[in-house]
């Protein structure tokens, strides 16, 4: 049984790294943001309650979020363990978590604000079909146009310098203290998240003492 929490600023690759660990070690990936998005999409009572905070990019209140996490973990569908992504986001949530559950490790993806800025400000979205682009990793073939439908590529409304600066300040003010609490319990492993995805995954596994991903054999070039 493995119980992990993964923490890191927006754009640090938490979702990607969590999904790979979950797939290879049969862990249940629990993303609190995904749970909330599901409720908003299906117009549940909880969805109506949290929609405003989500649309404003604010945190949902702690007691609602703690209930969501408690109910989700109470399903006990995680025979081999879980990886919790997006929770805790502040000191109170971290305290709640430590009082209610034991955790094997907190994986901290460490990314400097300058790199977050570079990654987030490179994001583009097709105004017609919604396909995501990133001018660093996934450039369109024709500048400013969607490869799939030719639609115009635009920046998300909340991906501006000012909005990002506010999100980063909020993250540091609220989530750094949660990380500090876990650090005090010697639960945190920190990984340099500026590296490529594969290297980040290997670094996480090395620090957690987990087996490394199996490399796919190279295609047979003789054929
Ligand atoms: P995320 O996908 O992690 O960015 O989460 C999307 C939204 O869900 C956030 O902007 C918050 O409104 C809400 N949310 C996710 N996790 C939490 C949390 N631990 N505490 C409060 N609100 C959260």
């Amino acid at each position: 049984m493995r119980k992990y929490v993964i923490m890191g600023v927006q754009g640090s690759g938490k979702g990607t790294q969590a999904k790979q660990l979950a797939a290879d070690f049969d862990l249940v990936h629990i993303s609190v943001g995904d749970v909330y998005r599901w409720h908003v999409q299906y117009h549940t009572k909880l969805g109506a309650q949290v929609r405003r905070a989500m649309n404003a990019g604010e945190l949902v209140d702690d007691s609602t979020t703690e209930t969501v996490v408690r109910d989700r973990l109470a399903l006990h569908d995680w025979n081999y363990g879980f990886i919790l992504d997006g929770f805790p986001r502040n000191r109170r949530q971290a305290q709640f978590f430590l009082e209610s559950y034991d955790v094997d490790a907190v994986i901290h993806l460490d990314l400097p604000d300058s790199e977050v800025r570079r990654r987030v400000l490179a994001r583009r979205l097709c105004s017609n079909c919604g396909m995501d682009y990133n001018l660093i990793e996934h450039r369109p073939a024709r500048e400013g146009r969607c490869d799939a439908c030719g639609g115009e590529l635009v920046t998300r409304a909340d991906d501006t310098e000012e909005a990002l600066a506010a999100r980063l300040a909020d993250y540091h003010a609220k989530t750094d203290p949660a990380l500090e609490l876990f650090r005090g319990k010697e639960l945190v492993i920190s990984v340099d998240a500026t590296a490529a995805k594969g290297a980040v995954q290997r670094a996480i596994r090395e620090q957690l003492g987990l087996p490394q991903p199996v490399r796919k054999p190279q295609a047979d070039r003789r054929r």
Side-chain angles (χ1 to χ4, degrees):
M1 172 83 72
R2 297 180 170 112
K3 294 184 226 165
Y4 301 127
V5 165
I6 190 160
M7 293 175 74
V9 69
Q10 176 195 27
S12 60
K14 266 181 307 169
T16 307
Q17 298 299 334
K19 281 194 187 97
Q20 195 176 345
L21 288 171
D24 289 358
F25 298 101
D26 274 332
L27 310 178
V28 177
H29 174 213
I30 301 173
S31 156
V32 176
D34 283 352
V35 172
Y36 279 143
R37 271 184 287 278
W38 186 91
H39 281 277
V40 170
Q41 187 182 350
Y42 290 99
H43 302 282
T44 67
K45 206 167 146 192
L46 178 61
Q49 232 175 294
V50 303
R51 205 180 48 190
R52 194 206 56 79
M54 288 190 73
N55 286 344
E58 290 164 9
L59 293 186
V60 174
D61 70 275
D62 290 335
S63 66
T64 304
T65 304
E66 286 162 12
T67 305
V68 163
V69 170
R70 191 185 287 119
D71 290 351
R72 181 62 192 82
L73 289 175
L75 291 179
H76 277 280
D77 56 345
W78 37 277
N79 292 332
Y80 297 100
F82 59 78
I83 181 156
L84 192 52
D85 166 359
F87 184 93
R89 291 271 250 268
N90 60 31
R91 201 177 165 91
R92 170 176 153 172
Q93 293 182 1
Q95 234 141 10
F96 156 84
F97 191 71
L98 281 171
E99 280 160 18
S100 314
Y101 305 94
D102 54 337
V103 62
D104 296 310
V106 174
I107 303 161
H108 171 225
L109 298 183
D110 192 12
L111 195 70
D113 286 0
S114 55
E115 180 61 15
V116 176
R117 232 172 259 122
R118 194 177 81 90
R119 290 184 184 185
V120 171
L121 298 178
R123 296 201 295 212
R124 297 291 181 275
L125 171 76
C126 173
S127 56
N128 184 46
C129 73
M131 183 136 131
D132 284 314
Y133 289 82
N134 187 299
L135 303 185
I136 304 167
E137 275 190 345
H138 176 203
R139 293 188 76 86
R142 196 151 59 97
E143 203 182 318
R145 292 281 155 193
C146 177
D147 292 343
C149 74
E152 190 193 353
L153 298 188
V154 296
T155 309
R156 285 172 197 271
D158 59 351
D159 279 353
T160 62
E161 278 273 6
E162 304 75 56
L164 181 60
R167 292 207 296 274
L168 281 170
D170 195 53
Y171 175 87
H172 290 301
K174 294 187 174 134
T175 310
D176 287 356
L179 198 59
E180 280 315 307
L181 194 67
F182 287 134
R183 269 214 185 92
K185 309 261 177 219
E186 300 191 351
L187 288 168
V188 178
I189 61 137
S190 255
V191 172
D192 173 10
T194 57
K197 282 176 204 164
V200 173
Q201 180 71 204
R202 286 193 294 279
I204 293 173
R205 293 185 188 205
E206 196 178 312
Q207 291 206 49
L208 293 176
L210 296 174
Q212 292 295 343
V214 183
R215 282 180 195 275
K216 291 196 185 86
Q218 292 248 317
D220 190 344
R221 285 161 203 223
R222 283 169 303 177
R223 260 183 270 158

